[in-house]
Amino acid sequence: MTTSISGIQVHYYSVCQRKLWLFSKGISMENEYDRVVEGQVLHERSYPFLEKKEQMIDNTFKIDAVDGEYVREVKISSKMAEADRMQMLYYLYQLRLRGVNKKGLISYTKERKTEEIVWTPGDEKKLKDVLHRIRRLLDQPQPPPFRRLPYCTKCAYRSFCFAKEVVEE
Ligand code: SF4
């Protein structure tokens, strides 16, 4: 099955595979607070010039902006830097598949810093492995079991997870 995968799903894979499964199955906690939503609001306030350049590519994924040789993304803080990096690599990979070679810049509003992400030869295999694992995960009839993570307190699914599962510590 070749389901298309979005950048946010790649991000969630690196943060919490249970969250990825719940989100991908359309289980929505729209009334719940989520750092992703906060990030979007901050983005609109802090980077209005990038907002105007937001682009949807082939109805598959949306990137904040293409700025010269860079794809740009804005994040609230670098606490999930590895997930942010994987999401950016996914965008760079998708663009490369379309014959467009770019680098990435991730701006962190809280720390007021910007990280450059440069595509390396090993990234293609790494990303293909992640996409394969995401597809396998989404084929499972049940979400991965609850496992408490530092991110849980900021997650929109926290009431769902904490209500439904018994935490074994
Ligand atoms: S509350 Fe925690 S375990 Fe549940 S989906 Fe969110 S991050 Fe994952």
Side-chain angles (χ1 to χ4, degrees):
M1 189 176 68
T2 50
T3 321
S4 78
I5 291 171
S6 68
I8 195 74
Q9 286 173 300
V10 173
H11 193 273
Y12 285 173
Y13 177 82
S14 302
V15 173
C16 172
Q17 293 180 20
R18 181 176 169 85
K19 177 167 182 157
L20 166 64
W21 192 97
L22 293 169
F23 171 81
S24 303
K25 300 299 176 184
I27 298 168
S28 163
M29 307 292 282
E30 281 163 7
N31 294 328
E32 297 276 344
Y33 171 83
D34 194 297
R35 286 301 281 256
V36 173
V37 175
E38 185 189 359
Q40 284 168 354
V41 173
L42 252 188
H43 172 192
E44 284 161 22
R45 285 188 193 144
S46 309
Y47 292 82
F49 66 97
L50 286 182
E51 188 64 24
K52 291 188 194 99
K53 296 181 186 171
E54 200 169 67
Q55 293 186 24
M56 178 70 87
I57 311 291
D58 289 356
N59 280 330
T60 308
F61 61 95
K62 192 165 65 174
I63 50 184
D64 283 354
V66 176
D67 190 6
E69 61 181 329
Y70 290 103
V71 171
R72 299 197 62 158
E73 285 282 310
V74 179
K75 302 287 184 184
I76 185 168
S77 84
S78 60
K79 277 190 182 147
M80 291 181 276
E82 184 51 31
D84 301 338
R85 178 182 163 76
M86 287 309 295
Q87 184 178 4
M88 176 60 80
L89 284 174
Y90 174 73
Y91 293 148
L92 299 183
Y93 174 59
Q94 288 293 335
L95 289 171
R96 290 177 81 86
L97 290 177
R98 292 161 175 81
V100 179
N101 295 345
K102 299 273 183 200
K103 294 186 271 188
L105 283 180
I106 307 173
S107 296
Y108 292 106
T109 56
K110 199 174 253 178
E111 294 103 336
R112 298 197 170 276
K113 68 175 182 180
T114 296
E115 298 284 339
E116 184 183 55
I117 310 292
V118 179
W119 182 265
T120 62
D123 287 331
E124 180 164 349
K125 182 180 180 325
K126 196 195 298 179
L127 259 178
K128 281 183 173 169
D129 284 350
V130 166
L131 296 177
H132 176 68
R133 280 189 234 128
I134 290 175
R135 290 200 173 93
R136 258 199 351 220
L137 179 76
L138 299 186
D139 279 345
Q140 292 173 15
Q142 301 284 333
F146 172 70
R147 196 166 52 92
R148 190 192 294 263
L149 299 169
Y151 177 73
C152 291
T153 56
K154 311 273 192 313
C155 177
Y157 292 101
R158 67 193 180 284
S159 53
F160 177 87
C161 286
F162 282 75
K164 296 271 182 192
E165 304 284 344
V166 176
V167 185
E168 293 180 5
E169 298 189 280

